[in-house]
Amino acid sequence: MQNRPSGFGNPWLQLGMSVVCVFASELLLKRGASEIAAPHDAFSWTGINGLASPLVWWAIVLIVASFISWLYVLRYIPLNFAYPLSRVVDILVPLGCWIFLGELISTLRWCGIALVVFGLGLVAKPIAKMEQRL
Amino acid sequence: MSFLAFLFILISLVTFVAAQLILKKGMEFSATKGMRNSYFVSRVAIGVVLMTVSFFLTLGLLQRFDLSYLYPFQGLSVIFITILAAVVLKEKLSLRLTIGALLITAGIMLVSMS
């Protein structure tokens, strides 16, 4: 993790950008896939018919953007740190639904979110110490 | 869940995890040897193909199942990638990192089950 660029090229910033793009693309993909769902068509198992939805294309644009950021992240950060941290998206999705869509979050879901936050804290703590030393 | 659905979920997971490991190898190589070499290009190409396969299989599955139903399987990728990065890429795997990855996986499963 040494000799990493700063500013826009900071791999931690790129990791954050990658997460935001994945978050938005997950929601767009689900809406796009639901729009053109054809569960009785055997060909639809391939998912290729999903390309008929404009939302899926927007999701693909975001996926490409997140992929470019992710490749950059992989150049500087070990995979077993970067990947668990990138799963912060798994708490952003339900929290986004709660904040922006007014959906309710059950007690069990709050427990799940707490576990992910605790896990992320465990993974991130040695990184924070390493950053302080640099 | 039918056998076909289980098979597609499994292939989607395996291709995604394999893509991450191969891409990491390619990007690590590029950090020292640059990007104008066949090793880097072939690793990125294989990674992109595997991620594309995983993407279209997920898209097909999303037409049949809720996102929340498919999420636990995505959650498993955290622990698989953490362990395989240590085994295949020789990255350091501490007890803290293992427990953190397990908690994230368990948390993702709880979020999607509720």
Side-chain angles (χ1 to χ4, degrees):
Chain A
M1 274 186 273
Q2 290 179 3
N3 301 322
R4 69 193 188 289
S6 56
F8 187 72
N10 186 316
W12 299 110
L13 175 69
Q14 292 295 325
L15 180 59
M17 285 176 59
S18 175
V19 164
V20 170
C21 289
V22 170
F23 166 61
S25 70
E26 290 270 7
L27 298 177
L28 287 171
L29 268 186
K30 177 56 190 164
R31 284 197 66 177
S34 301
E35 265 183 9
I36 44 79
H40 302 298
D41 177 8
F43 180 69
S44 70
W45 274 108
T46 63
I48 292 173
N49 65 325
L51 296 176
S53 165
L55 290 178
V56 169
W57 282 102
W58 279 112
I60 290 172
V61 169
L62 287 172
I63 288 167
V64 170
S66 77
F67 182 68
I68 292 167
S69 288
W70 182 244
L71 282 184
Y72 187 81
V73 167
L74 289 182
R75 198 169 182 181
Y76 295 98
I77 305 175
L79 184 61
N80 61 8
F81 277 112
Y83 189 72
L85 287 177
S86 75
R87 297 327 296 171
V88 72
V89 75
D90 296 317
I91 54 176
L92 289 180
V93 172
L95 285 179
C97 293
W98 179 53
I99 294 166
F100 299 115
L101 305 178
E103 290 180 7
L104 290 174
I105 299 181
S106 66
T107 311
L108 195 59
R109 187 162 286 189
W110 278 119
C111 290
I113 289 170
L115 273 183
V116 175
V117 170
F118 195 57
L120 287 171
L122 278 182
V123 174
K125 201 171 178 184
I127 300 170
K129 280 183 183 170
M130 209 182 304
E131 288 289 307
Q132 280 175 346
R133 282 202 300 270
L134 291 174
Chain B
M1 181 172 50
S2 68
F3 172 74
L4 196 62
F6 176 75
L7 183 70
F8 278 36
I9 288 170
L10 190 68
I11 296 172
S12 171
L13 183 64
V14 168
T15 48
F16 181 78
V17 170
Q20 294 300 325
L21 296 170
I22 290 168
L23 286 171
K24 176 63 181 169
K25 274 209 157 190
M27 291 314 291
E28 260 183 0
F29 188 81
S30 77
T32 51
K33 309 274 182 177
M35 295 184 180
R36 290 183 180 179
N37 56 74
S38 59
Y39 184 90
F40 169 75
V41 173
S42 62
R43 290 305 175 279
V44 171
I46 293 168
V48 169
V49 168
L50 287 172
M51 285 197 77
T52 306
V53 170
S54 176
F55 171 78
F56 279 110
L57 288 177
T58 304
L59 204 54
L61 288 162
L62 279 172
Q63 293 179 39
R64 290 165 173 79
F65 303 104
D66 285 341
L67 184 60
S68 59
Y69 182 78
L70 296 172
Y71 243 67
F73 300 102
Q74 289 191 16
L76 287 175
S77 63
V78 177
I79 195 67
F80 285 150
I81 286 178
T82 304
I83 292 169
L84 287 173
V87 175
V88 179
L89 305 173
K90 311 292 178 206
E91 290 184 359
K92 285 179 188 168
L93 180 62
S94 63
L95 182 62
R96 174 189 284 269
L97 188 60
T98 311
I99 294 171
L102 281 170
L103 284 174
I104 293 168
T105 302
I108 294 168
M109 288 180 164
L110 270 186
V111 165
S112 55
M113 279 163 60
S114 50

